[in-house]
Amino acid sequence: QVQLVESGGGLVQAGGSLRLSCAASGRTFSIYAMAWFRQAPGKERDLVAAISGSGVPTYYADSVRGRFTISRDNAENTVWLQMNSLKPEDTAVYYCAARPGTYYGPTRHANADFGAWGQGTQVTVSS
């Protein structure tokens, strides 16, 4: 089972940028599709972006498309989430997740699509 550790969260003003990183253990990182989820207080955990092992396809939630970019480097066992033009509504705990195989987008329950999770990193966007 792959193990995931997120970093890069913090406090930023609206309109600013942050880059989240997720470091994965193991030698077979390239077989895993990776994703970023987020959970705001009192809300469900939602899929933000996903990327398959080869780098394509990618998926973005409508709320972040055009502002966030997911990328990965299989040699470094790392996936990133570049977040630009941040809004207060982006405030949440962001989680990295992994699953074997290609990922074409969420099924009815996106959380159940992924079996490995990191501990989360807090992102706070002030207005």
Side-chain angles (χ1 to χ4, degrees):
Q1 180 79 325
V2 64
Q3 294 184 330
L4 307 172
V5 179
E6 302 99 332
S7 61
L11 174 65
V12 64
Q13 289 188 333
S17 298
L18 279 176
R19 190 191 197 200
L20 305 182
S21 298
C22 174
S25 64
R27 300 181 181 180
T28 58
F29 179 68
S30 62
I31 74 169
Y32 287 91
M34 303 297 296
W36 288 95
F37 286 73
R38 67 185 181 188
Q39 187 169 24
K43 296 188 177 181
E44 294 184 351
R45 187 164 58 185
D46 294 327
L47 176 63
V48 173
I51 186 169
S52 288
S54 66
V56 289
T58 57
Y59 166 85
Y60 293 95
D62 289 343
S63 58
V64 306
R65 188 174 294 114
R67 299 188 297 123
F68 292 9
T69 302
I70 189 169
S71 61
R72 65 188 294 160
D73 185 327
N74 289 339
E76 295 188 15
N77 280 19
T78 302
V79 62
W80 297 276
L81 185 68
Q82 178 67 43
M83 305 185 294
N84 298 328
S85 302
L86 283 161
K87 305 175 181 180
E89 51 263 44
D90 294 318
T91 295
V93 177
Y94 283 72
Y95 297 90
C96 179
R99 55 162 279 166
T102 301
Y103 190 69
Y104 296 99
T107 61
R108 187 169 185 176
H109 301 290
N111 283 270
D113 294 342
F114 291 82
W117 295 85
Q119 82 288 351
T121 185
Q122 176 71 46
V123 172
T124 303
V125 184
S126 63
S127 58

